[in-house]
């Protein structure tokens, strides 16, 4: 008798797990987003003097027929700042956070020893509008997830010819998008937080690794770190809910081809993508 109870309990846990990782079948095909590869932070090459997340890197991505992935923070005075790190130190040498700086302070800085300025999202979008798509990652700080999402959406609506989707590691961004702009294609970013803890306690790391907030965010796609993608939750999300997988960040032409063969949309860096397999 106890064996029956244990089996029923395990089946209930599996059902709850499946419901927790649910998503919504992606409309990627409707927008043609699946046809593109995405240059991580633009088609940058620091050795050639083209910094990541710079206007030049984004123009090069478009010239090569690629979309791009970029990162957006909110400045102290509410500007949408395109930079990966929340801190300025690595790319500018200034040890401050973007959220603590005004636009005037940011405008005085240069990227990675070049003459390139830190771009704002309104400067980047015209490069891609009517051309190749964007994967826009929102990176909230100091509890500004709703404000960041709201300002980004307001700006995006000014570019009707732009094809894009929005992703975030932070489920609060996706919850806001689901409630307020469900028509926007949204994606949950994830990796194995149990090995790359990033300050999370074990329960939070376990939940984020296994996409257990999906029942709140209901993402159209999951962007998972390619090296970490052997996760049961990701497989369940793809197979049972029809959610598109986006693989990041691929470093070689062979990785790109392998990921695409498995049905992934790819975000790449440090290489030029090969011709697609027929």
């Amino acid at each position: 008798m106890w064996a029956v109870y244990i089996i029923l309990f395990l089946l209930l846990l599996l059902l709850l797990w499946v419901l927790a990782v649910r998503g919504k079948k992606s409309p990627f095909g409707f927008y043609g987003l699946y046809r593109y590869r995405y240059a991580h932070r633009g088609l940058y090459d620091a050795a050639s003097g083209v910094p990541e997340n710079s206007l030049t890197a984004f123009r090069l991505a478009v010239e090569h027929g690629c979309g791009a992935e970029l990162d957006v923070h909110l400045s102290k005075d509410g500007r949408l700042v395109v930079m990966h790190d929340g801190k300025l130190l690595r790319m500018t040498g200034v040890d401050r956070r973007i959220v603590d700086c005004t636009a005037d302070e940011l405008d005085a800085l240069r990227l990675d020893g070049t003459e390139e300025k830190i771009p704002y999202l309104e400067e980047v979008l015209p490069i891609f509008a009517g051309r190749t798509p964007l994967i826009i990652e929102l990176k909230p700080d100091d509890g500004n997830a709703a404000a960041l999402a709201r300002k980004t959406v307001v700006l995006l609506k000014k570019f009707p010819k732009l094809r894009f989707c929005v992703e975030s590691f932070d489920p609060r961004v996706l919850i806001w998008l689901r409630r307020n702009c469900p028509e926007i294609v949204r994606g949950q970013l994830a990796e194995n937080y149990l090995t790359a803890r990033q300050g999370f306690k074990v329960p939070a790391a376990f939940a984020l690794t296994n996409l257990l907030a999906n029942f709140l965010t209901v993402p159209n796609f999951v962007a998972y770190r390619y090296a970490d993608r052997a996760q049961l939750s990701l497989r369940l999300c793809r197979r049972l809910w029809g959610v598109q997988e986006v693989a990041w960040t691929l470093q070689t032409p062979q990785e790109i081809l392998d990921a695409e063969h498995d049905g992934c949309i790819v975000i790449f860096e440090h290489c030029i993508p090969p011709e697609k397999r027929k």
Side-chain angles (χ1 to χ4, degrees), residues 176-229:
W176 189 94
L177 289 171
R178 182 189 177 195
R179 290 173 177 171
N180 296 279
C181 301
E183 73 281 3
I184 290 179
V185 178
R186 61 185 180 272
Q188 180 65 59
L189 270 160
E191 62 180 318
N192 188 346
Y193 292 95
L194 294 168
T195 55
R197 292 284 290 278
Q198 298 188 17
F200 291 109
K201 293 183 179 179
V202 171
F206 179 84
L208 292 170
T209 297
N210 289 285
L211 307 172
L212 298 184
N214 276 18
F215 75 100
L216 296 172
T217 61
V218 193
N220 301 115
F221 67 97
V222 172
Y224 219 96
R225 182 175 178 174
Y226 190 63
D228 295 340
R229 65 192 295 265

Side-chain angles (χ1 to χ4, degrees), residues 86-101:
K87 289 187 175 182
L88 296 163
L89 182 61
R90 181 175 65 89
M91 290 302 297
T92 72
V94 175
D95 193 9
R96 295 185 67 189
R97 300 188 305 164
I98 293 172
V99 73
D100 296 327
C101 295

